[in-house]
Every structure is written in structure tokens, then in C-alpha cells.
Amino acid sequence: MTDASEVPDFAPAVNGAVEAAIPVVHGMGVRAVEARRGYASSMVPVAGNGNHFGVMYAGVLFTVAEMLGGAIAVASFDGAAFYPLVKDLRIKFTRPATTDVRAEATLDEDTIVRVTREAAEVGKSDFALDATVTDADGVVVAVTTGLYQLRAHRK
């Protein structure tokens, strides 16, 4: 078994990529907290992300969960060979968020292996990713189900 300190954390790479490629997400304050093979978490502050009735704006909640597909892909797949994209994302808002929030998602090893194999063989492969968004007290404020795709870079 690998010690947790030996598992690479790709969060700094994810944050750098988001800042460079998707500045609006960076501007919201969305940050990858942890990104390792099969797991990603992100957070966003409530400050500056409120709406007209004093809770976190729905689009910010969507974004903090949606970006996990890219974060988990960076940590789980070979970025020199593949890139991710989102095909669909459904969100269910369960409670208003009045604090900073954290989103988390996992991808099992069998799916990682399948997606890698399929993308290498046919150029793309779909995978589903469920995320949970919680407030500072651990209360679930939203859940998402996303359909992502891993694509091979064209040669």
C-alpha cells in the first residue's frame, strides 16, 4: 500500500491550468484542494459569490462541481496523450449555501483503466462522475452527475 504522502497531488497543476485557460473560474476563487488518481476536491469562497438574496450564486455551485472532471482527469490520465471535456452536467440544489463550499468526486480504478484503454484505442471514452458539494458545516448543498469524455490528442 502506498503512503498518502507518496501519492502525487496535482492540485497546483490544476490551479495553474484553470488560471491560464479559464480565468473566469479562477476569478470566482474556485480552487482545486486536492487532485490525485481517482479523487479530486475543490472549494470556493462565499465572499464575492453571492446572489440577490444573500446565498451563493447557483452558477458558482455548478462551477465548483463541474471543474472536478478536469481535475480528476489531470490526476488520473496522461495529459500528454489525452484531454478531458464535459458533455453534460446535471445539478440538484438541496440547500442554500451561506458559507464557503467544498466539492468532492471519486473515480474508481476500473473506470480509469477502461477509459484509458478506450481512449487509446478509439480516440475517446466517456465516463460519469458524481460530485457532492457541502458547506462549512458539512451540509450537502448540491449534488451533480456529470458525463465527461477523455479524448486522445490528435497526432
Side-chain angles (χ1 to χ4, degrees):
M1 185 166 170
T2 305
D3 183 302
S5 65
E6 296 174 18
V7 177
D9 184 2
F10 291 87
V14 170
N15 290 327
V18 167
E19 182 176 8
I22 318 169
V24 68
V25 174
H26 178 76
M28 288 178 198
V30 175
R31 301 290 181 270
V33 176
E34 188 176 351
R36 56 182 161 74
R37 186 175 179 92
Y39 175 81
S41 64
S42 57
M43 65 78 55
V44 66
V46 70
N49 289 312
N51 65 13
H52 60 289
F53 61 96
V55 299
M56 189 173 285
Y57 175 60
V60 176
L61 291 169
F62 179 96
T63 302
V64 74
E66 184 278 328
M67 67 91 61
L68 292 175
I72 223 164
V74 166
S76 302
F77 304 109
D78 179 0
F82 307 109
Y83 65 94
L85 58 86
V86 62
K87 293 177 66 175
D88 184 51
L89 191 103
R90 309 292 168 108
I91 188 165
K92 180 179 180 183
F93 302 103
T94 58
R95 306 273 302 194
T98 58
T99 68
D100 297 356
V101 298
R102 180 181 177 112
E104 294 183 289
T106 60
L107 193 61
D108 66 86
E109 187 63 25
D110 289 344
T111 300
I112 294 170
V113 170
R114 174 190 62 79
V115 169
T116 301
R117 183 187 71 250
E118 288 176 2
E121 290 173 359
V122 297
K124 60 186 176 180
S125 180
D126 291 350
F127 63 97
L129 192 65
D130 296 325
T132 303
V133 184
T134 56
D135 69 11
D137 296 321
V139 175
V140 175
V141 298
V143 292
T144 64
T145 299
L147 179 62
Y148 295 85
Q149 188 172 83
L150 190 69
R151 289 195 177 181
H153 289 289
R154 293 187 178 150
K155 296 178 182 185

